[in-house]
Amino acid sequence: QFMERMLSTYNFNNFKLRFLGDGWDRLEPIAKRNNIDLKLTTDADYSVYPQFYQDIDYLLIPGLWTAGPISFQESLSTGTPVISADVGFAGYELKPDHIFPPNDVNSLSKILDKIQEPLLKRRRQVVNMSWLNYATDLINFINKIKK
């Protein structure tokens, strides 16, 4: 219900949301209605987990309660920063990059506002970086100095 409220109230236009695991399918209609880029991965095959963590900028743990959560440790093992509700080990043994009170839409919204511009800046810096663009630029540079 917390993420349903977030999707209904926060402007996620500059974010791509990726959810791993079961139980998130109820978010699809809300995301579609609000033009939010949402992808669900319900694959229980743990071999997809490393790629999932490499493909995300932040792991968000929105839970109201949890003992671990194990996803926090998985995220740490891949170097992915964590935004977490203050539940389980988060804030005690494990230190998330950003922490918010459970079920607090306003606090999470402030964190998302804070991280949004640095993420957009990084994306703008790398948007045109590819091997093809590099090769084209190198050829153009060589042709200029040959003249």
Side-chain angles (χ1 to χ4, degrees):
Q1 295 169 341
F2 173 69
M3 286 309 298
E4 291 170 4
R5 286 197 331 266
M6 282 300 301
L7 291 180
S8 296
T9 60
Y10 188 79
N11 180 357
F12 281 98
N13 289 343
N14 293 318
F15 292 93
K16 295 178 180 180
L17 302 180
R18 304 297 179 251
F19 287 85
L20 181 62
D22 295 321
W24 298 110
D25 52 336
R26 68 186 187 278
L27 299 179
E28 282 184 303
I30 300 168
K32 190 172 198 162
R33 195 169 47 247
N34 293 302
N35 296 315
I36 297 171
D37 183 345
L38 173 74
K39 180 182 175 190
L40 304 176
T41 301
T42 56
D43 195 336
D45 179 4
Y46 289 109
S47 68
V48 304
Y49 280 43
Q51 187 63 50
F52 174 83
Y53 285 107
Q54 289 174 1
D55 289 345
I56 61 175
D57 294 311
Y58 282 88
L59 173 69
L60 171 60
I61 302 171
L64 299 177
W65 60 271
T66 183
I70 194 68
S71 57
F72 198 133
Q73 295 164 340
E74 292 168 345
S75 186
L76 289 175
S77 72
T78 61
T80 305
V82 176
I83 301 168
S84 179
D86 192 2
V87 296
F89 296 145
Y92 299 102
E93 291 182 32
L94 302 173
K95 303 292 183 199
D97 297 84
H98 303 277
I99 195 164
F100 62 96
N103 210 24
D104 188 335
V105 170
N106 291 330
S107 293
L108 179 55
S109 295
K110 287 177 185 176
I111 291 169
L112 296 174
D113 288 344
K114 181 179 178 180
I115 67 168
Q116 189 171 181
E117 187 52 38
L119 285 175
L120 291 173
K121 180 180 178 184
R122 183 174 60 196
R123 288 181 191 151
R124 284 190 297 266
Q125 288 176 325
V126 299
V127 70
N128 293 317
M129 292 184 178
S130 70
W131 285 108
L132 179 60
N133 286 347
Y134 173 77
T136 302
D137 289 346
L138 183 59
I139 290 168
N140 290 337
F141 175 75
I142 291 170
N143 286 334
K144 283 182 185 177
I145 62 172
K146 284 169 73 176
K147 292 181 181 180

